[in-house]
Amino acid sequence: MTQKKTDLHRDTLAVREAVERSQYGENSEALYLTSGYVQPSAEAAARRFAGDEEGFTYGRYGNPTVASLEQRLAALEGAEACISTASGMSAILMMCMGLLKAGDHVLCSHSMFGSTIKLIGTDLAKFGVESTFVSQTDVAAWKAAIKPTTKLLFAETPTNPLTEVCDIRALADIAHNAGALLCLDNCFATPALQLPIKLGADIVMHSGTKYLDGQGRVMAGALCASQELVTKTFLPVLKSAGMTLAPFNAWVVLKGLETLDIRMQAQSARALQLAQWLQDHPSVARVHYPGLASHPQHALAMAQQSGCGGAVLSFEVKAGDADQARARAFHVLDALQVMSLSPNLGDTKPLMAHPASTSHGRLTEAQRQTAGVVQGLIRVAVGLEHLQDIQTDLDRGLLTF
Ligand SMILES: *Cc1c(COP(=O)(O)O)cnc(C)c1O
């Protein structure tokens, strides 16, 4: 495949890194819709299936459009290689199937994405994989929870929906001292703001569904890591389990990466302004946003995320008890006329959600309490609309309890 264009700057790689043009000289990367590939000879086919020669054989194993996305995302994350999947969750499944066996132990933050907690804590437990969930921000708790069988540390920063920030370098040191790997879910910050591999992470996991696509169109996932992990540990799982990314979805995300940096800068700038406005709002009890000086890990976030808080914030409405808080949060969401009530995020359209009843709805009340996902909490994934229109939309509910 193409030579890595390592001497080019990030901005250039974001729009240029891809497999070679076809003989037609297309300027926009081609979308190859094919499930199979004609082989040049029986000998070549045998070598390709054995992995002794590069070349596409079958759609479950690889596709040139998918390869373009993988090359571009690897370049942006500063990783040797990348392997993409049909969704973010299937990327986590691929990682766990590749790295773990019965008896192994995974150490995770208890503030991770709801489905991640479910997949690792419940589904993988059926196959004998043990897991422990610890505080996102308590480095000593991570260290204390390490076991001789710990193979993987898995964190996400900033988290959904409370935007808690963990110290990637500190967790990488704990993992490596224990002979384990650190995987970082970089969905919220994206490589536009945060480069976990530079900070010591071994694997970067992505839900391409979110900011990488950036316009709420397709599902996608990916793992960025060393060439060896990708080829020897993850690719065999893809081949046998088939969590393959569709070429069309890969193409959409590939084009999304071209505008990732400018979208993240613009959406983060709006998020900071909205967070500052909410902080002074009479109906708001608390705002969670890493860009605010009041955020408990503000300094760490600014150092780790190129001085940027990201595009997601959450806030708690003022209320007397949990029932009133839930009713008031629902009132704010139901009053919206401009922003979309949607549990998704990573869109240019601002999206609002009630995490306790949606993304974290499958958790037990106890798990939700530990994760801090209270009933009055509302998450805003800030998009590209005008700040004043967003504020007016929120005030429709916030001023009419
Ligand atoms: C959405 C999300 C995922 C899961 O990705 P899907 O593409 O929906 O499967 C994982 N982690 C985080 C932080 C997410 O927001």
Side-chain angles (χ1 to χ4, degrees):
M1 238 144 280
T2 52
Q3 200 67 32
K4 281 258 150 52
K5 306 171 186 83
T6 43
D7 51 338
L8 297 176
H9 291 88
R10 258 179 66 84
D11 292 358
T12 311
L13 292 169
V15 295
R16 290 281 172 194
E17 181 66 34
V19 301
E20 268 169 13
R21 289 195 176 96
S22 80
Q23 70 272 32
Y24 300 115
E26 68 281 353
N27 190 43
S28 172
E29 293 75 16
L31 168 53
Y32 292 93
L33 288 179
T34 180
S35 50
Y37 303 86
V38 178
Q39 302 300 303
S41 69
E43 276 298 335
R47 283 195 301 273
R48 288 176 180 189
F49 271 89
D52 297 334
E53 177 182 305
E54 281 200 9
F56 295 102
T57 52
Y58 181 54
R60 177 159 23 93
Y61 300 177
N63 171 285
T65 309
V66 173
S68 283
L69 167 63
E70 292 168 345
Q71 283 188 20
R72 191 171 287 178
L73 186 54
L76 292 184
E77 286 288 359
E80 280 176 20
C82 168
I83 186 163
S84 55
T85 52
S87 68
M89 291 317 300
S90 61
I92 301 175
L93 180 65
M94 171 199 271
M95 172 174 70
C96 292
M97 286 180 71
L99 290 175
L100 307 170
K101 59 180 186 324
D104 285 346
H105 175 244
V106 188
L107 186 50
C108 295
S109 155
H110 66 208
S111 317
M112 294 193 84
F113 187 62
S115 299
T116 306
I117 295 177
K118 180 88 174 35
L119 176 65
I120 292 179
T122 309
D123 299 319
L124 287 178
K126 288 198 298 189
F127 298 92
V129 172
E130 243 200 301
S131 54
T132 308
F133 294 86
V134 293
S135 157
Q136 167 85 354
T137 52
D138 185 351
V139 175
W142 286 80
K143 215 179 226 164
I146 292 279
K147 299 182 178 198
T149 50
T150 306
K151 293 281 159 54
L152 177 68
L153 274 66
F154 191 13
E156 172 189 320
T157 184
T159 56
N160 174 27
L162 294 181
T163 71
E164 290 175 305
V165 174
C166 69
D167 187 333
I168 300 175
R169 196 174 295 281
L171 296 189
D173 288 345
I174 294 172
H176 299 154
N177 285 338
L181 299 178
L182 172 67
C183 175
L184 222 289
D185 180 335
N186 206 21
C187 176
F188 272 50
T190 82
L193 307 185
Q194 176 170 279
L195 296 170
I197 288 177
K198 235 187 192 170
L199 297 169
D202 303 283
I203 304 163
V204 170
M205 176 256 144
H206 269 291
S207 166
T209 317
K210 311 293 168 54
Y211 294 102
L212 305 190
D213 167 6
Q215 292 175 63
R217 298 164 294 193
V218 299
M219 306 283 304
L223 300 174
C224 298
S226 66
Q227 187 68 58
E228 181 168 338
L229 269 177
V230 166
T231 314
K232 297 201 177 138
T233 306
F234 304 141
L235 182 61
V237 180
L238 179 82
K239 287 183 168 182
S240 55
M243 52 282 275
T244 308
L245 179 61
F248 177 76
N249 294 4
W251 182 81
V252 171
V253 179
L254 177 73
K255 304 311 282 180
L257 289 182
E258 296 182 4
T259 55
L260 177 67
D261 276 39
I262 55 171
R263 279 188 284 109
M264 288 308 289
Q265 295 299 336
Q267 291 179 223
S268 297
R270 279 168 174 76
L272 176 60
Q273 288 177 298
L274 185 65
Q276 285 163 340
W277 177 78
L278 283 166
Q279 205 170 27
D280 297 329
H281 199 289
S283 302
V284 173
R286 195 170 167 194
V287 183
H288 305 270
Y289 184 65
L292 290 178
S294 59
H295 189 283
Q297 297 97 38
H298 174 66
L300 173 63
M302 291 302 99
Q304 207 166 253
Q305 299 172 204
S306 339
C308 217
V312 177
L313 61 90
S314 59
F315 65 94
E316 292 166 30
V317 294
K318 273 190 189 156
D321 58 28
D323 285 344
Q324 191 183 43
R326 183 181 173 99
R328 289 186 167 185
F330 278 25
H331 174 77
V332 171
L333 294 171
D334 288 336
L336 296 173
Q337 291 178 13
V338 178
M339 284 195 277
S340 312
L341 173 55
S342 168
N344 192 14
L345 61 99
D347 203 325
T348 47
K349 294 182 174 66
L351 304 171
M352 305 257 305
H354 182 248
S357 61
T358 57
S359 57
H360 292 65
R362 283 199 289 168
L363 303 185
T364 63
E365 191 55 37
Q367 281 173 318
R368 257 199 305 275
Q369 285 298 329
T370 340
V373 181
V374 295
Q375 292 294 342
L377 190 74
I378 292 176
R379 187 190 71 196
V380 191
V382 180
L384 288 175
E385 285 170 15
H386 198 286
L387 189 68
Q388 265 171 15
D389 294 334
I390 297 174
Q391 290 166 344
T392 308
D393 213 25
L394 283 170
D395 268 345
R396 268 185 255 280
L398 283 174
L399 298 180
T400 56
F401 288 153

